[in-house]
Amino acid sequence: MKKSIFSLIWLLIFVSCGENRKSDTEVPGREETTKTDVLEAGAAALQKKGPFDHMNIYLVGFHPMKDNPSHQMEAHHFCTQINEDFAQCALFDGNTDEAKLTGIEYIISERIFDTLPEKEKKYWHPHNYEILSGQLVAPGLPDVADKELMESKMNSYGKTWHVWSTGNADGDGDKIPMGDPKLAWSFNRDGEAKPGLVENRDKEMEIDSKEKRKERKDLIPQAKPQEGVDALKGKFPRETKSIPGVESKNDSNN
């Protein structure tokens, strides 16, 4: 029997986030003064945290940039579920208090995606491969809660902008945010992620994405063809392979 959504939320709030993943980027600047430390302590004690109090869903996945698929980043999502069809996430390059804010992602259901104008759909990437491949994970959740969460995101879409390319997952990166925001996409075939990208995350966070893939096989019948699956097809230097449950739907989403 499926757990209620209340039980799932309870687990999401109170279960540990799992192993730490630190940011590798050191930002130039002077060491904080005592005055700044005191101001921070006062703010922490007296000011409301509003939106952050509800960011109780933690996901870790990967993003290639749509206009430059060789630029790939590990993304730690801290999300608020606004309603059943819409979530919003702040993206970081790690999960410690030194993590750098790298972007934002909005997640919508297939129901909302189908109402979007065609010119808008090109900004939204599909999620079925991320889920069924085991690459998208919810660290610290028990298996039953993980399955419930991933099932709730089947056939969904994300709109992601990265504003800071840090060095956590793609070389040295930038010490401070540089240039224009970059529209991120999703991997949709085996072989699109750079060798070592997923494996390094798994090792550092004690995650087995291959085992997650096996555990999620029973979600395949729920998968529907999605737009955007072929948006980056043929733009990776390695041989790629489709997996069951990830199919393209009249792929005009380029």
Side-chain angles (χ1 to χ4, degrees), residues 154-194:
M154 286 294 296
N155 304 308
S156 65
Y157 292 83
K159 184 177 186 179
T160 302
W161 294 97
H162 277 283
V163 295
W164 189 355
S165 177
T166 64
N168 181 276
D170 192 27
D172 293 334
D174 298 323
K175 298 301 182 182
I176 61 172
M178 301 284 285
D180 295 329
K182 294 179 174 60
L183 179 66
W185 210 247
S186 54
F187 295 128
N188 288 284
R189 290 173 176 80
D190 286 349
E192 292 184 346
K194 289 182 177 180

Side-chain angles (χ1 to χ4, degrees), residues 126-137 146-147 149-156 187 209 212-213 216 219 243 246:
H127 283 150
N128 283 353
Y129 175 83
E130 294 189 73
I131 296 169
L132 296 175
S133 68
Q135 287 186 4
L136 183 66
V137 297
D146 177 273
K147 180 67 72 66
L149 178 58
M150 296 304 160
E151 183 177 10
S152 74
K153 300 306 176 190
M154 286 294 296
N155 304 308
S156 65
F187 295 128
S209 57
K212 292 292 184 186
R213 180 183 296 211
R216 296 172 186 173
L219 297 180
I243 67 171
V246 181

Side-chain angles (χ1 to χ4, degrees), residues 62 194-204 209-210:
F62 305 94
K194 289 182 177 180
L197 181 64
V198 179
E199 293 81 2
N200 187 46
R201 186 278 311 266
D202 285 1
K203 179 180 179 181
E204 292 291 325
S209 57
K210 292 181 179 178

Side-chain angles (χ1 to χ4, degrees), residues 3 44 56 58 63 69 71 73 75 83 93 107 124 128 132 188 191 193 199 210 216 225 233 237 241 243:
K3 289 184 175 289
N56 46 39
Y58 173 45
H63 294 143
H71 182 175
M73 296 181 66
N83 57 43
D93 63 357
I107 299 174
W124 296 83
N128 283 353
L132 296 175
N188 288 284
E199 293 81 2
K210 292 181 179 178
R216 296 172 186 173
K233 186 177 181 180
K241 182 181 179 181
I243 67 171

